[in-house]
Amino acid sequence: MSPTPLPPTPPALPDVTLSLAEILGRGALAIVSYAALGVILLIIGFYVIDLVIPGKLSRLIKEERNPNATLLTGSGLAAVGLIVAASIWSSGGALHEGLLATLVFGLVGIAVQTVAMVAFDKVAGISVRELVTETELQPGARLLAVTHLAIGLITAVAVV
């Protein structure tokens, strides 16, 4: 019986070592890129929330100092932040592919979050339109804010 031949030895990989400056530069580029994309997605999220909540959010918050609009917007943006963070976390190592995945998952997450917010508001029977006309913080706004955060967390975990 003849011995089994060994498979050919693969060629040696070149020794690629990166300098500390290259590692830090690439890391800094990734941080800046993901942060910029995250801010863009938050801005998109703000305008989507602005479409869902009756009235002009910047006016309701800045001029009228409406606590209900502020709480609902803040919880919606925190939920979007959770989704974007989960998108970045799950994006993998390659920068270009990671940014694209973060963009797609972030936009899909914002859409899902928005639909879920509107659906829950309807099911719960709490009118956001009425809440944002109130000048004092309402229990319904607190409930919807916590719910929006929970929906954002659920959506974020779905991304991961």
Side-chain angles (χ1 to χ4, degrees):
M1 181 168 219
S2 64
T4 309
L6 295 173
T9 306
L13 296 174
D15 184 22
V16 178
T17 54
L18 298 175
S19 70
L20 179 59
E22 289 172 315
I23 292 169
L24 293 175
R26 288 180 184 186
L29 175 64
I31 291 169
V32 169
S33 300
Y34 281 115
L37 181 57
V39 169
I40 291 167
L41 287 169
L42 281 174
I43 291 168
I44 291 169
F46 177 84
Y47 284 108
V48 169
I49 293 168
D50 193 17
L51 290 172
V52 175
I53 293 178
K56 185 74 176 146
L57 279 181
S58 57
R59 183 183 53 75
L60 287 169
I61 294 169
K62 188 176 175 182
E63 295 171 18
E64 296 183 21
R65 304 176 62 84
N66 184 296
N68 299 301
T70 303
L71 181 61
L72 293 174
T73 302
S75 65
L77 286 176
V80 169
L82 287 169
I83 295 165
V84 171
S87 298
I88 292 169
W89 179 269
S90 68
S91 65
L95 183 59
H96 291 99
E97 292 85 356
L99 289 169
L100 180 60
T102 298
L103 175 64
V104 170
F105 291 153
L107 291 173
V108 170
I110 289 168
V112 169
Q113 168 74 9
T114 303
V115 169
M117 281 172 45
V118 171
F120 186 86
D121 297 358
K122 297 281 186 210
V123 169
I126 299 172
S127 170
V128 174
R129 182 173 304 282
E130 291 175 14
L131 281 176
V132 297
T133 62
E134 297 288 335
T135 57
E136 292 184 23
L137 188 59
Q138 298 297 306
R142 292 181 180 110
L143 172 67
L144 292 181
V146 171
T147 304
H148 296 170
L149 286 171
I151 292 168
L153 182 59
I154 292 165
T155 306
V157 171
V159 168
V160 178

